[in-house]
Amino acid sequence: MRRYAGMGRALLAYNTDNEQGFAFETHDDKWRPIDHEGVTLIHRPSDRIAPPPPSCQGWSKASKCRRFGSR
């Protein structure tokens, strides 16, 4: 498989004697076969960047009143 892929990516699915009846192999790709409770799945990482968590600026006036009462 690697000889034919050269500098590219490749995914090989072939028959085998397991519960699914087939298996995967990858070459030079971020996608990876993973075993999940006896089933082979292809894990594809997300290209999206997670947004940063909201910055905590402190308590609002309403929240302070609810928490501590009006003093």
Side-chain angles (χ1 to χ4, degrees), residues 38-71:
V39 177
T40 303
L41 304 171
I42 298 292
H43 177 258
R44 181 177 134 192
S46 176
D47 292 335
R48 288 184 264 151
I49 299 172
S55 60
C56 184
Q57 297 292 328
W59 296 79
S60 68
K61 290 180 182 178
S63 179
K64 287 179 191 176
C65 287
R66 279 195 301 265
R67 183 170 173 96
F68 303 111
S70 56
R71 293 183 181 174

Side-chain angles (χ1 to χ4, degrees), residues 1 3 5-6 10-11 14 18 30 32 34-35 37-38 43-44 47-50 54 61-64:
M1 173 174 81
R3 179 175 71 191
L11 173 69
Y14 56 93
N18 63 9
K30 293 179 184 176
R32 299 279 176 238
I34 59 168
D35 182 86
E37 297 181 3
H43 177 258
R44 181 177 134 192
D47 292 335
R48 288 184 264 151
I49 299 172
K61 290 180 182 178
S63 179
K64 287 179 191 176

